[in-house]
Amino acid sequence: MEFLIITLRNIPAIHRSLLLAVVILTALGNVHGRHKVHKWETVEYSAISCRAHTASLTDFGGVGDGTTLNTNAFKSAVDHLSQFQSDGGSMLYVPAGKWLTGNFNLTSHFTLYLDKDAVLLASQDENDYPVIAPLPSYGRGRDTDGGRFISLIFGTNLTDVVITGENGTIDGQGQLWWNKFHKKELQYTRPYLIEIMYSDNIQISSLTLVNSPSWNVHPVYCSNIIIQGITILAPVRSPNTDGINPDSCINTRIEDCYIVSGDDCIAVKSGWDEYGVAFGMPTKQLAIRRITCISPTSATIALGSEMSGGIQDVRAEDIVAIDTESGVRIKTAVGRGGYVKDIYVKGVTMKTMKYVFWMTGDYGSHPDNNYDPNALPVIDNINYRDMVAENVTIAAKLAGISGDPFTGICISNVTIELAPKAKKLAWNCTDISGISSGVVPQPCELLPDQGTENVAPCNFPTENLPIDDMKVQTCSCRKKLY
């Protein structure tokens, strides 16, 4: 205190009391143990709904050290915040850190928000994923008979759910699961990263998903879905790491996504054989826009093969595929039943492809032997236009089903540059019918060119889908900066 007194003598009296107060408060802070000093920052984000209540995962004992298991913290947080469903909804903020967790379920009128430096690490312990029943439209799991491990982030019978952030990361740590799959050591189907069932008004946006054990994003039996600004990364030889799989969903918008995958970047589905036929819930009114895909062994967009509930009114535009096996592929088989119709594709750029066009009528995997061999799929009104491809091995392999041809195929304004070692037969067509216009190289005889006098683009609807009327708004939240 002698230094303080000497210093104060040299300071005008009018400032002494103020300085003394500051020094005493600082000293008291030191006496009580050098507490962390923090400030608040306001973060803005786009969402279908803003929330009245916010909490941080750390408020519920979360520890972001990459080794502490936070499953109970997530569950406690969601359970607590669920009380605000009718009071403006709630948001769980996941701050910077590495948050190891097993499965946790979401609630309605709820936002899960990941900080830009937050990483959700999926547990590799099977015990952290309860086993649930197979999907009724599938009759069994995709990997094995019977049940399936619940997804890392799961929800069912929900309304108004947002999973978003500042491009925070969800890491599925899938290598262990891939190894078990290859060694046939799995008793149940692998977990997905995000699965939402029987729900309405869903947004999944502004996230990075890496190394999923299997499918990444799986909305199933849902309506009014926006999936936007997602980056999905998986090794290109990893098994079944589909990017986004809308499944028996109505009114969906997928846009501005970048996907590197070991399977289809986007796979549109609606149930498997007799189970999908009986469930009878199609996927329809689906918009796919501004997608970039890399998948050397699979499709940019696959329709099927599980399509027994039907797929209708899919509109894909402004698509880029690089080093990918095929562009938009239709996969089906005898026994599927259902339909794929009213498909519209335009504005596709492809570089280094095996196939530009690929339709398969013999994709014959079945859930069991109880399928109806007389359940033939209907493939009709398939439209492709305004496409450019280079370094292509085969322009098209279009194989319908004998006695059940694929009809109404239209291809216009398409330029395909074949690779130096391309197959001699650029177009291979059986059991299909349709027309072409302005296509290079010349299509097969089953797609006759309409001639220069009758050149017309294939159809692409101009009216909006209902999902285009579903708007997002600017929301904000406050986070602590230490």
Side-chain angles (χ1 to χ4, degrees):
M1 293 296 293
E2 289 181 356
F3 174 76
L4 176 63
I5 294 171
I6 295 171
T7 303
L8 289 175
R9 286 173 180 168
N10 297 325
I11 296 176
I14 191 170
H15 298 305
R16 290 177 188 173
S17 59
L18 179 60
L19 178 59
L20 183 59
V22 171
V23 171
I24 291 173
L25 287 173
T26 302
L28 287 174
N30 290 335
V31 168
H32 289 287
R34 299 184 185 274
H35 296 296
K36 290 182 179 179
V37 177
H38 66 261
K39 63 180 180 179
W40 293 92
E41 178 181 75
T42 298
V43 176
E44 292 188 342
Y45 63 99
S46 296
I48 55 176
S49 299
C50 302
R51 310 302 183 192
H53 304 271
T54 301
S56 172
L57 186 63
T58 55
D59 299 334
F60 302 88
V63 179
D65 60 4
T67 58
T68 301
L69 190 65
N70 290 282
T71 307
N72 288 336
F74 277 105
K75 291 181 175 180
S76 296
V78 175
D79 181 64
H80 172 77
L81 293 171
S82 65
Q83 68 181 302
F84 301 113
Q85 289 184 28
S86 60
D87 185 30
S90 60
M91 183 175 83
L92 176 61
Y93 176 77
V94 182
K98 293 184 177 181
W99 309 90
L100 180 67
T101 182
N103 152 262
F104 62 94
N105 299 346
L106 306 181
T107 188
S108 292
H109 305 290
F110 176 81
T111 297
L112 177 67
Y113 186 98
L114 272 61
D115 183 272
K116 63 182 177 64
D117 295 317
V119 179
L120 263 60
L121 289 175
S123 169
Q124 294 181 311
D125 186 344
E126 291 185 4
N127 295 319
D128 292 326
Y129 301 88
V131 176
I132 58 175
L135 294 169
S137 59
Y138 283 70
R140 53 159 287 173
R142 289 301 284 113
D143 291 340
T144 66
D145 291 332
R148 58 206 187 98
F149 291 111
I150 198 170
S151 297
L152 177 68
I153 300 173
F154 182 78
T156 186
N157 295 293
L158 303 180
T159 300
D160 182 21
V161 173
V162 177
I163 307 172
T164 190
E166 303 168 82
N167 207 33
T169 299
I170 302 174
D171 185 347
Q173 300 201 100
Q175 185 66 59
L176 178 142
W177 296 96
W178 305 333
N179 292 344
K180 287 183 176 182
F181 173 79
H182 287 306
K183 295 176 181 178
K184 302 185 184 304
E185 295 177 350
L186 291 168
Q187 290 183 291
Y188 305 103
T189 293
R190 287 163 286 164
Y192 308 146
L193 285 189
I194 301 172
E195 181 176 69
I196 308 294
M197 298 176 58
Y198 298 110
S199 298
D200 180 63
N201 288 349
I202 306 299
Q203 175 188 334
I204 303 171
S205 64
S206 303
L207 299 168
T208 296
L209 311 181
V210 301
N211 297 327
S212 177
S214 185
W215 300 354
N216 280 266
V217 180
H218 185 222
V220 57
Y221 320 139
C222 292
S223 58
N224 301 311
I225 308 150
I226 296 175
I227 301 174
Q228 186 178 59
I230 299 292
T231 298
I232 295 175
L233 305 173
V236 295
R237 301 296 175 182
S238 55
N240 311 117
T241 50
D242 299 36
I244 302 168
N245 290 8
D247 196 342
S248 292
C249 289
I250 298 174
N251 209 25
T252 303
R253 191 168 90 215
I254 302 172
E255 56 191 12
D256 302 307
C257 295
Y258 177 83
I259 303 171
V260 180
S261 171
D263 210 319
D264 301 322
C265 289
I266 296 175
V268 185
K269 300 178 180 291
S270 68
W272 201 2
D273 285 8
E274 70 271 21
Y275 301 102
V277 172
F279 197 76
M281 187 171 182
T283 289
K284 60 182 181 180
Q285 297 174 329
L286 167 62
I288 303 172
R289 302 170 181 144
R290 298 180 300 278
I291 304 297
T292 297
C293 167
I294 299 174
S295 183
T297 62
S298 294
T300 308
I301 300 171
L303 305 171
S305 71
E306 305 89 348
M307 41 62 67
S308 302
I311 296 172
Q312 184 174 17
D313 198 359
V314 177
R315 308 178 190 184
E317 57 184 315
D318 299 329
I319 309 297
V320 176
I322 303 169
D323 192 16
T324 297
E325 186 176 44
S326 60
V328 178
R329 183 182 180 189
I330 296 175
K331 301 190 290 186
T332 188
V334 170
R336 289 285 194 272
Y339 53 84
V340 176
K341 58 185 180 181
D342 306 334
I343 308 300
Y344 310 98
V345 181
K346 72 173 183 179
V348 182
T349 300
M350 292 166 277
K351 299 182 179 182
T352 307
M353 310 288 291
K354 184 175 182 180
Y355 304 99
V356 172
F357 304 107
W358 196 3
M359 300 182 188
T360 310
D362 62 350
Y363 204 90
S365 61
H366 300 285
D368 52 40
N369 294 321
N370 298 320
Y371 65 91
D372 179 1
N374 296 313
L376 300 178
V378 174
I379 312 299
D380 183 55
N381 193 24
I382 314 298
N383 299 270
Y384 304 100
R385 59 182 268 194
D386 309 335
M387 302 170 68
V388 176
E390 62 182 55
N391 198 28
V392 172
T393 304
I394 305 171
K397 182 177 181 180
L398 309 177
I401 297 170
S402 178
D404 181 37
F406 299 172
T407 59
I409 299 169
C410 180
I411 304 176
S412 68
N413 190 29
V414 174
T415 300
I416 300 170
E417 179 185 296
L418 296 175
K421 295 184 179 180
K423 298 292 184 180
K424 292 182 178 180
L425 183 62
W427 292 77
N428 188 341
C429 307
T430 56
D431 298 302
I432 65 159
S433 66
I435 59 173
S436 64
S437 176
V439 179
V440 178
Q442 181 75 35
C444 55
E445 293 181 356
L446 295 177
L447 296 172
D449 192 307
Q450 299 305 288
T452 56
E453 296 180 357
N454 299 306
V455 171
C458 299
N459 191 26
F460 195 99
T462 56
E463 72 277 6
N464 285 343
L465 288 169
I467 190 61
D468 292 316
D469 297 327
M470 185 173 172
K471 305 300 182 184
V472 298
Q473 55 189 303
T474 300
C475 304
S476 63
C477 68
R478 297 178 71 207
K479 68 175 184 178
K480 290 180 181 179
L481 297 178
Y482 288 95

